[in-house]
Amino acid sequence: MIKQKPLQIFSKDVDMGIDVVKSPVKLTILEMLRSNDMEFDEIVKNTGKSKSTISVHLKSLREDGIISYRLGESDSRRKIFYLNSKYLGSVDVSKKNEIEETRAEYLIENIVENDGDFTVLLFHTLRSMLIQEGINIDPVLHSTGIRMGQSLYNKLYDDDLEVFIGNISEFWETKGLGKLSFKLGQIIKITAADCFECELLPKTGKPACYLDTGIFQALFSEFFGLPVRVIEIQCCTMGDENCVFEVEPFKPKEI
C-alpha cells in the first residue's frame, strides 16, 4: 500500500491567502522546489511524468501564485522554476491515534502536580494535539523564532562574543526557557538543558525545537553580520537527555 503524502500548506505573499495542495504530482514538484530551484526538464526527469502532464501542473501552481519562474541567463528559452509562496507546514491525514502527551493523566502528572507554568501547559498541549492530528507547523515556529530573535538582539547584544552568549544564557534561564551552555569554535555548539520547547513532547525520533533554532539563527546572523545555519543535532524528542544545536556560517552552493 502506497503511503499518502501529507498535504502541503502555503501562504501567498500578495494577499495572505492560504493554499492547501493535495495533488500527488504537485506535492512531488513542491517538495523538490523547497530544496532547489529547478529547470523544467529537471522536474520532468525527477518526477518521471510526461512533459505535457508537468506543464499542466506547473501552469496550475503558477496561476495559484505558489510558484513562479525566471529565464536562464545564458539561454532565455530555459525556464527555472522556484517557490513564490511561504511554506507553512503540512497535514498528514493518516495520523489519528491518541498520544500519551495529550491525555489528562499525563498533563496532571507533568504540569499540575509539579506546579508547572500554565503557559508551558498550553504550549505543549496545543503542539501535542497538532502532532496527534498529523499537523506540522515547524516552518511557522521557525519563522516565529527568527522574528523573536531579531526583536531580542538589541537587548542582548554586546560586541564581546562571550558577554553576548552570557546575556543569552541569562535571558534563557530568567525566562524559564532552560539552561544553556556554549562551546565556542569554528562551529558554535549550544547545549540546552530542561528545554521548554520539547521536554514534554512525544518521542518522534526527529528534532522538534524549531522555535529555538529560529531564535539562535537570528541572534548569531545579526551578531556576525552574515547568514548562519543552525542545526539541531540532539533533541529530547529523539531520546536525548539535552538538546544540542550547531551554529555555523552559511556556505552557499557552488555554481
Side-chain angles (χ1 to χ4, degrees), residues 10-213:
F10 292 83
S11 71
K12 296 178 181 177
D13 294 332
V14 178
D15 55 9
M16 296 303 291
I18 301 296
D19 283 291
V20 179
V21 180
K22 302 178 182 179
S23 161
V25 178
K26 288 181 181 177
L27 290 175
T28 300
I29 293 171
L30 293 172
E31 284 173 358
M32 293 189 298
L33 293 180
R34 276 168 51 194
S35 300
N36 296 291
D37 299 350
M38 299 186 74
E39 295 183 26
F40 175 79
D41 288 340
E42 288 181 284
I43 297 173
V44 171
K45 179 180 178 181
N46 291 332
T47 57
K49 302 294 182 180
S50 67
K51 289 186 176 182
S52 58
T53 297
I54 296 302
S55 291
V56 170
H57 287 299
L58 290 175
K59 182 176 184 291
S60 175
L61 289 170
R62 284 177 52 213
E63 289 175 347
D64 288 339
I66 298 177
I67 69 170
S68 188
Y69 72 86
R70 64 180 183 274
L71 300 179
E73 293 183 6
S74 58
D75 185 350
S76 59
R77 293 172 298 179
R78 291 169 48 224
K79 290 183 178 179
I80 302 172
F81 291 87
Y82 60 90
L83 284 182
N84 194 43
S85 293
K86 186 176 182 180
Y87 175 57
L88 295 181
S90 62
V91 179
D92 189 343
V93 294
S94 66
K95 291 187 178 180
K96 290 294 180 183
N97 296 329
E98 184 178 14
I99 59 177
E100 182 185 6
E101 286 76 7
T102 64
R103 294 174 180 169
E105 297 84 355
Y106 182 91
L107 299 174
I108 291 172
E109 179 184 351
N110 286 278
I111 303 293
V112 180
E113 292 183 354
N114 289 326
D115 297 322
D117 189 322
F118 182 75
T119 56
V120 175
L121 168 64
L122 178 62
F123 177 80
H124 284 289
T125 304
L126 174 60
R127 191 148 179 218
S128 293
M129 286 297 296
L130 291 172
I131 291 172
Q132 174 178 294
E133 295 299 321
I135 300 173
N136 167 29
I137 59 166
D138 295 343
V140 175
L141 290 172
H142 184 258
S143 296
T144 302
I146 289 176
R147 181 67 61 86
M148 293 172 65
Q150 291 170 339
S151 300
L152 288 170
Y153 178 70
N154 288 334
K155 177 181 178 64
L156 303 177
Y157 172 74
D158 191 280
D159 57 7
D160 185 310
L161 177 58
E162 293 194 3
V163 175
F164 178 57
I165 63 175
N167 292 342
I168 298 173
S169 297
E170 182 180 359
F171 176 85
W172 226 253
E173 191 164 356
T174 301
K175 298 299 183 182
L177 305 179
K179 298 178 181 178
L180 301 181
S181 58
F182 292 78
K183 183 178 181 181
L184 301 181
Q186 195 166 17
I187 295 178
I188 299 174
K189 184 172 287 188
I190 306 172
T191 300
D194 303 324
C195 178
F196 86 99
E197 186 172 1
C198 72
E199 191 175 32
L200 296 180
L201 288 179
K203 301 296 184 288
T204 62
K206 300 183 293 184
C209 301
Y210 289 89
L211 191 67
D212 286 357
T213 299

